[in-house]
Amino acid sequence: MKVKFMDLGRQPIANNFLESRENIDNEYQFHLTVCFDEKTKLVSLGEFVPPKLMFNDSYVYHASLSRTMRSHFGRAARLLRSEFNPACVLEIGSNDGVFLRHFAKETTCAVEPCGNFAKLTNELGYKTYERFWSEKLADEIIEERGRQDLIYAANCMCHIQNLHDALLAISKVLSDEGIFVFEDPSLLKMIERGSYDQIYDEHAHIFSVTALQNLLNMWDLDIFRVQEISVHGGSSRIFACRKGTRSIETSVDDHLVKEHAAGLHNVAAYQNFAERAEQSKNQLTGLLTELKRRGYKIVSYGATSKSTTVFNYCKITTELIDYIVDITPDKQNKFSPGVHIPVVSPEVGFDETVDYAFLGAWNYEREICDKERKFLETGRFITHVPYVRILEGENP
Ligand code: DWN
C-alpha cells in the first residue's frame, strides 16, 4: 500500500523558467505530494508530470557548468575505466556530455531525450539517441551496437517514472559480465539533512538502497557495491550486475543497516521528515522576513530545481528575494518558475549592494564560497540545510 506522507502544495515545472510575465497565466502547475510504498519501500511522487513537459529541446540544466561536477564526472570516468575496462559504454541521460567525453567516441553511445543536449553530443561525435529510455530503444541498440559492458546513468534513474520498464530494458542491453552503475540523490541523506528540496517534478523517486535492492532483484540484477558520494547534497552510487556474476561487497549490507537504523523501512521516519520540512519553512520565512524588515537586500544564489520547491512551498516571492543570480545563460533574464523571481547573471546582480544571499545551490557551498570571497567581506549566505541559518562567514 502507498502512504502519502508529504504535501508540498501546488508547484510548477522546476526548470520552466519563463521568458516574460505574459507566459505566467498559462504556467503548468501540479500538486506535489510524496508517497511511501510499504511493500517495495520506494519513495515516489504522488503525481507524475508528463515527461515531455520537463525534458525537451529547451532543457536548461547544464551539468558541466560547475567545477565540482566537471571534476566529479572526470573522476568517475577514470575510476570506471581503470577498474572495469569496458569495451563499450552506454550512458543513459547524458546531458551535455560531461561524463561521456572521457570515453572513446567509437565505442560509446548515449541516450538523451532533451534535443538541445542530444544535438550537442552528436556534434561532439558521440552517437546519441534523442529518445526516452525504453525497451524498444534497448532492442535497437542491441541490434546496432550489441550489448553493453558499462551502462552508466547519473541523476537519471530517479527521473524515470516507470522503473520496471527501465530496468527490463537495462537487463536486456547489459552484457553477461557487464555492470550497470548509477547515481542519484540519497534518500538517507535527504532525510538526515532535511533537504526536502530534493523533491520536485523531475525526481519521480528518491532512492534508498533498500528499495533499489527490492526492485533490481525483480530483474535478476544484484547490487554488488554502494558508494556514498558527496555531490548533489549526498548521493549514492550503485553498482549492479547480473545475479551471481560478482561477489557482493560489504558496502551493500553496511548501507542497508544504516537505512534500517534510520527507519527508512517505516513510514514514521517520513512523517517526521515532513514535520521538519514544515518547521524549516517557518524558520526560513521568519528569518528572511526579519532581515527584510531591518532593510537588508536579499537575493538568491543559484536558480536551482531545488529552490523552485523551496520558494513555491514557502511562498517566497520578490517581497523577500529581489532576484536570483545564476551562471546559466539559458536561465538568465527570465523569471523563476511559480513565484516569478527575476534571474540575472552574477556579473549583473551579485555586487556590493547585496547583504544576504540565500544559497539555492547549497550543494556547491564550498565552490561558491571560494569564488565569492569578495562578497563574504561584507555579505553573508543563508542556507536551510541541514537547518535554517546564516552561514558563518568572515563578516559581518
Ligand atoms: O537531477 C537533477 C540534478 C542533478 O540537477 C536535475 N533534475 C536538475 C538539477 O538540479 P538542480 O537545478 O537543483 O541542480 P544544481 O546542480 O544544484 O544547480 C546549480 C545551479 O546553480 C545551476 O543553475 C548553476 C548555478 N550555479 C551558479 O549560478 N553559480 C552553480 C554554481 C556552482 C555557481 O557557482
Side-chain angles (χ1 to χ4, degrees), residues 97-108:
V98 63
F99 173 80
L100 208 59
R101 59 180 74 229
H102 299 278
F103 289 86
K105 291 176 181 151
E106 309 70 45
T107 51
T108 305

Side-chain angles (χ1 to χ4, degrees), residues 301-315:
Y301 199 110
T304 58
S305 316
K306 296 181 289 293
S307 58
T308 296
T309 293
V310 175
F311 293 159
N312 285 279
Y313 173 55
C314 300
K315 304 202 172 10

Side-chain angles (χ1 to χ4, degrees), residues 362-386:
W362 54 267
N363 42 317
Y364 301 106
E365 180 186 324
R366 189 172 303 160
E367 179 175 341
I368 292 171
C369 287
D370 268 3
K371 184 160 45 177
E372 302 298 354
R373 290 215 190 93
K374 180 101 185 68
F375 165 71
L376 286 169
E377 287 171 14
T378 53
R380 279 195 185 180
F381 286 113
I382 294 170
T383 191
H384 68 297
V385 180

